[in-house]
Amino acid sequence: MGSVQIVTTILAAAITAVAVWLAVRAVMKMTAVIRLGQPAPERFTDKGARTRTMLVETAGHTRMLKWSVVGAAHWFVMVGFIVLSLLVLEAYFEVVTPTGGLPVVGHWTVFGLATEVIGVLGLVGILVLMAIRLRNRPTRPGGRSRFTGSTMWQGYFVEWIVLLVLIFGFVIRGFKVATDHFEYPVWATPLSHAVGAVLPDWQDGASVAALIKIAISMTWLIVISLNVTMGVAWHRFLAFPNIFFKREPAKPAGSGLGALRPMMSEGKPLDFEEADPEKDQFGVAQVEQFTWKGLLDFSTCTECGRCQSQCPAWNTGKPLSPKLLVLSLRDHAYAKAPYLLAGGGKDLTGEEKATAAQLAHVDVLALAEADKPLIGTAEEGGVIDPDVLWSCTTCGACVEQCPVDIEHVDHIVDMRRYQVLIESSFPSEAGVMLRNLENKGNPWGAPQNTREDWTKGLDFEVPRVGEVDDFEYLFWVGCAGAFEDRAKKTTRAVATLLNEAGVKFAILGEGETCSGDPARRIGNEFVFQMLAQQNVETLNEAFEGREKAKRKIVATCPHCFNTLGNEYGQLGGEFEVVHHTQLLAHLVSTGKLTPVQPVDGGVTYHDPCYLGRHNRVFAAPREVLGDAIAGELTEMPRNSERSFCCGAGGARMWMEEKIGKRINVDRVEEAMATGARTVAVGCPFCSTMLNDGVNGKGAGEQVEVIDVASVLLRSVKPEQAQGDKETEPVAG
């Protein structure tokens, strides 16, 4: 060992020791913060499925590759980080001797080839990612960037570290080539040999370059250890457990989609019959009241902004960005942590749990952070502004796009639950809807005895449950389908088509009440459970004696479809629920319904969030429309899993949209730009919102918004459909 090697060895050992000590301290701090969260025992079930999902999503980059170029570049960088960590390890042998290398594998040609290829692809990948970050920088002219609000220096720092580590890997190899100490042939390591051809014959070059490479790597570790909220770096480690502990690992897409997480207290679903607000947690009022998985979510955020780029609220000038919401909660949690770890915190009655002695040495900034309300305006010092909380449509685009499976929707609804149930703080106009649900069983406050009025004028009898026992499907009409004029057209069309196809169905009529979706999404779990338990009891009685496979329900509203199929199971209601477009697609494919007259004028289809993204029903409505028009749909740029929300979800249907551009107008402009004369929908909320948008644009004569079922009816029974179109009133 020469004098140069003595120096490089000592320096490498010193900086590594400092970095490792800081990293251990950082990991202990992060673990302590995450453990402050509430229990979530359900996250430890089905470890086999969790492991498979985690490996598929990470190794296969299934979420990242939805953005093909970025996903491919990131995959090469990820693989480079994992595999080329071996070359960082090898650098510790090279600081000791310039001819050093990894034991055993270090001399295998296949190892040299693999690391060369990965190194080259990693270089290409990181350069692509750097270019994308620069092209989408928040300061660029025109448009909102998905990086707006991200801590940009951290992203640039990480990318430059990766680039320099890769470069110095080739410099080390180049010096070995220049000094004739390189064991791999040219065909396996062409770039290394090319670098060696321009480097001098410096015997100590490999050791010095190895020291620089170690110093760069350890500088990265030191910086991220001193910045535990640096998600753009820490996600390299936290993504694996965060994906492993996702809510429903067996689902094909976002774990926060479909059913909402039940309202929990101490790791158990809350029973309202026994719940006590002084002993049980009603939603989330303090950051430590999120589960430990929630705190892990916040810590894992990469600040990539994919959620932000897809959010309908953000894209129409609302203050909500799912990314910025998560970052605010993350920063608040870590700033408040010293106070919490010292024993501080408020009990459910608002009393301080810690003694003065426990808090005596807590940093004043942590104490100030602890005094901030979780939900509050800027004047109140709130962490999350109320306008942010209430802008969410729960469309799920954020969860769908998140590459590390953060469950934004669950966290937003948990905060809403506390605001509604304990603080009674929510947009005033939604109060009318909630009172109607409690008193009338529907959000419009319509008389219950008018639920069957949509059947009037049909040329066949609509059977009721109780009057007939021999039915295959229970037709869940829904509140909109029973009371809202546009939606009643869809209800009549579906009933007509089912009758035409010979499907035996029955309705509950006046026995049906609201599914509870708007109450649950706004945060009123009490009203949701009241309605849901009543419906579950009614449905169980209607299906008495039948096994689950024969307890079939068809629903025209995706919100009802989602609630009955995904959430009623939490309350003892197990049913096979299909959307009407799925059943109609089946009836057409089996020849029970036959389109005879193609619908012309061009048709585009708007994917409802709760049918498409939340429940993965993309093909069925398109198949029905394809048969009805005897041709290809004209797709909007944002379709299927990236479809843009209509603005009605999350109980936004009953709240005023006062900030920014109206979401429905944005969507209507996209639909009109296709040139299609018909905008087909599969949801009564979407129908209302898009019709209002079309009328607002003054395009009611040029563009018609109707349900998929009505489009099919015009093709199957043109004369009857035309008559229905002319006689059925349209709400203004």
Side-chain angles (χ1 to χ4, degrees):
M1 180 186 291
S3 58
V4 171
Q5 282 69 43
I6 292 173
V7 173
T8 56
T9 301
I10 292 172
L11 291 176
I15 193 171
T16 300
V18 172
V20 170
W21 177 73
L22 289 173
V24 170
R25 190 181 70 166
V27 169
M28 292 176 65
K29 179 178 181 179
M30 294 176 75
T31 302
V33 171
I34 291 168
R35 292 185 64 179
L36 288 169
Q38 300 303 303
E42 73 279 4
R43 304 288 181 167
F44 294 92
T45 60
D46 205 356
K47 292 183 176 63
R50 293 183 180 280
T51 302
R52 285 192 299 273
T53 299
M54 185 265 289
L55 291 174
V56 168
E57 287 197 20
T58 53
H61 253 43
T62 52
R63 308 296 288 277
M64 287 292 296
L65 286 171
K66 290 177 180 179
W67 298 42
S68 53
V69 174
V70 178
H74 191 277
W75 187 85
F76 290 131
V77 172
M78 181 198 74
V79 172
F81 176 79
I82 295 171
V83 176
L84 299 183
S85 295
L86 291 173
L87 296 188
V88 175
L89 177 61
E90 186 176 51
Y92 286 93
F93 293 91
E94 292 161 338
V95 295
V96 177
T97 171
T99 61
L102 283 176
V104 186
V105 299
H107 301 285
W108 294 353
T109 299
V110 67
F111 177 74
L113 172 63
T115 50
E116 183 89 355
V117 171
I118 292 170
V120 171
L121 293 176
L123 277 171
V124 173
I126 196 62
L127 289 171
V128 169
L129 293 181
M130 292 173 80
I132 290 172
R133 187 177 294 272
L134 287 170
R135 189 183 66 195
N136 291 281
R137 65 192 184 280
T139 55
R140 83 196 197 287
R144 280 185 166 188
S145 166
R146 65 184 175 95
F147 293 117
T148 298
S150 297
T151 313
M152 294 301 287
W153 76 261
Q154 294 180 353
Y156 293 136
F157 172 78
V158 168
E159 288 167 347
W160 273 102
I161 288 289
V162 172
L163 179 63
L164 290 173
V165 167
L166 289 168
I167 288 173
F168 272 90
F170 284 106
V171 170
I172 294 170
R173 287 185 163 190
F175 274 119
K176 286 186 174 182
V177 170
T179 56
D180 202 24
H181 293 307
F182 197 50
E183 53 267 86
Y184 307 125
V186 176
W187 67 265
T189 55
L191 182 57
S192 297
H193 279 271
V195 173
V198 299
L199 289 178
D201 181 3
W202 181 24
Q203 292 297 321
D204 296 324
S207 294
V208 173
L211 172 63
I212 296 173
K213 182 176 180 177
I214 290 171
I216 293 170
S217 300
M218 292 305 107
T219 298
W220 174 79
L221 189 56
I222 289 169
V223 170
I224 73 167
S225 297
L226 295 174
N227 293 273
V228 291
T229 59
M230 194 170 174
V232 70
W234 282 106
H235 84 274
R236 296 182 177 199
F237 310 107
L238 297 179
F240 297 98
N242 208 56
I243 294 171
F244 180 86
F245 289 116
K246 67 189 293 186
R247 180 148 64 83
E248 296 183 61
K251 292 189 74 169
S255 61
L257 301 182
L260 276 174
R261 185 171 176 269
M263 195 165 166
M264 309 288 280
S265 180
E266 293 296 325
K268 298 177 182 178
L270 196 66
D271 183 349
F272 276 96
E273 293 184 0
E274 301 177 358
D276 181 351
E278 294 188 1
K279 298 179 181 178
D280 295 301
Q281 182 178 315
F282 280 56
V284 169
Q286 305 289 335
V287 72
E288 65 271 21
Q289 292 177 348
F290 287 106
T291 66
W292 61 261
K293 174 56 170 64
L295 296 177
L296 178 60
D297 270 0
F298 309 152
S299 303
T300 308
C301 180
T302 72
E303 304 190 27
C304 67
R306 284 171 180 76
C307 58
Q308 183 171 286
S309 72
Q310 302 296 302
C311 177
W314 178 260
N315 277 287
T316 53
K318 315 293 189 293
L320 168 63
S321 157
K323 177 189 71 178
L324 297 181
L325 178 139
V326 166
L327 297 186
S328 296
L329 293 171
R330 178 199 69 188
D331 293 344
H332 173 59
Y334 280 89
K336 187 179 180 181
Y339 159 78
L340 295 171
L341 293 171
K346 302 289 195 300
D347 63 20
L348 294 174
T349 64
E351 294 296 319
E352 175 60 58
K353 293 187 289 186
T355 64
Q358 286 177 296
L359 301 180
H361 302 291
V362 175
D363 184 81
V364 65
L365 294 178
L367 293 174
E369 196 72 27
D371 285 336
K372 289 183 177 181
L374 189 66
I375 307 298
T377 62
E379 292 76 17
E380 296 166 337
V383 178
I384 304 297
D385 191 277
D387 284 334
V388 170
L389 188 67
W390 298 110
S391 291
C392 180
T393 67
T394 68
C395 71
C398 49
V399 182
E400 174 74 35
Q401 290 298 326
C402 181
V404 292
D405 282 309
I406 293 171
E407 298 163 8
H408 315 72
V409 172
D410 282 338
H411 304 322
I412 288 171
V413 172
D414 271 340
M415 289 186 284
R416 284 183 171 187
R417 284 166 169 166
Y418 181 83
Q419 293 300 304
V420 172
L421 294 171
I422 302 300
E423 297 291 338
S424 295
S425 177
F426 51 88
S428 58
E429 60 269 23
V432 177
M433 177 269 292
L434 290 172
R435 287 193 294 273
N436 285 336
L437 287 178
E438 287 191 79
N439 300 326
K440 299 290 187 178
N442 69 84
W444 284 279
Q448 186 72 354
N449 60 10
T450 62
R451 268 197 181 267
E452 299 178 34
D453 284 1
W454 64 270
T455 63
K456 295 176 181 178
L458 293 174
D459 57 6
F460 59 91
E461 188 71 24
V462 177
R464 279 77 173 166
V465 171
E467 297 176 4
V468 293
D469 295 322
D470 184 22
F471 62 90
E472 183 180 4
Y473 286 94
L474 188 152
F475 181 13
W476 183 272
V477 176
C479 299
F483 301 122
E484 204 271 331
D485 288 333
R486 291 190 190 98
K488 282 196 282 187
K489 288 185 180 182
T490 302
T491 308
R492 292 164 61 88
V494 171
T496 301
L497 290 166
L498 294 182
N499 182 70
E500 178 74 11
V503 175
K504 294 182 178 179
F505 70 96
I507 62 171
L508 288 173
E510 294 182 25
E512 181 182 304
T513 59
C514 180
S515 68
D517 165 85
R520 185 168 233 198
R521 265 70 195 169
I522 202 175
N524 198 324
E525 187 74 4
F526 176 79
V527 170
F528 164 73
Q529 290 203 20
M530 178 186 73
L531 294 167
Q533 287 170 351
Q534 179 180 338
N535 283 327
V536 166
E537 184 178 336
T538 300
L539 291 168
N540 283 339
E541 183 178 339
F543 289 119
E544 188 174 3
R546 297 193 190 189
E547 60 189 31
K548 181 181 177 181
K550 294 184 179 179
R551 295 157 69 91
K552 297 180 182 179
I553 299 174
V554 57
T556 57
C557 175
H559 297 263
C560 296
F561 164 67
N562 178 70
T563 303
L564 272 62
N566 294 328
E567 298 186 335
Y568 276 16
Q570 299 170 2
L571 299 169
E574 297 290 339
F575 313 109
E576 290 291 332
V577 187
V578 299
H579 189 251
H580 71 285
T581 58
Q582 293 175 297
L583 181 54
L584 294 178
H586 171 71
L587 295 175
V588 172
S589 67
T590 55
K592 294 182 179 179
L593 288 175
T594 305
V596 294
Q597 180 175 309
V599 176
D600 57 14
V603 177
T604 190
Y605 174 64
H606 163 78
D607 289 273
C609 299
Y610 274 82
L611 182 63
R613 240 186 325 267
H614 281 266
N615 286 284
R616 321 308 297 171
V617 179
F618 301 119
R622 287 174 167 80
E623 290 169 3
V624 173
L625 292 170
D627 289 325
I629 66 176
E632 294 292 324
L633 280 176
T634 305
E635 292 281 11
M636 286 182 262
R638 295 178 291 193
N639 64 77
S640 302
E641 64 187 22
R642 290 199 192 180
S643 179
F644 198 69
C645 183
C646 75
R652 289 291 323 171
M653 178 86 172
W654 290 275
M655 298 183 226
E656 292 296 326
E657 196 169 346
K658 302 173 183 176
I659 304 173
K661 184 179 182 181
R662 293 183 65 86
I663 294 173
N664 61 333
V665 171
D666 192 295
R667 186 55 165 170
V668 161
E669 288 174 353
E670 185 175 8
M672 291 174 62
T674 66
R677 289 186 55 81
T678 300
V679 180
V681 297
C683 171
F685 291 178
C686 296
S687 176
T688 296
M689 298 300 285
L690 297 188
N691 263 299
D692 288 350
V694 167
N695 292 335
K697 299 290 290 185
E701 297 297 320
Q702 294 81 40
V703 178
E704 182 183 18
V705 180
I706 58 172
D707 191 86
V708 171
S710 295
V711 177
L712 180 62
L713 182 62
R714 291 180 185 180
S715 181
V716 172
K717 303 184 74 173
E719 293 182 5
Q720 181 168 339
Q722 184 64 28
D724 188 55
K725 179 180 178 182
E726 291 172 355
T727 58
E728 186 70 21
V730 178

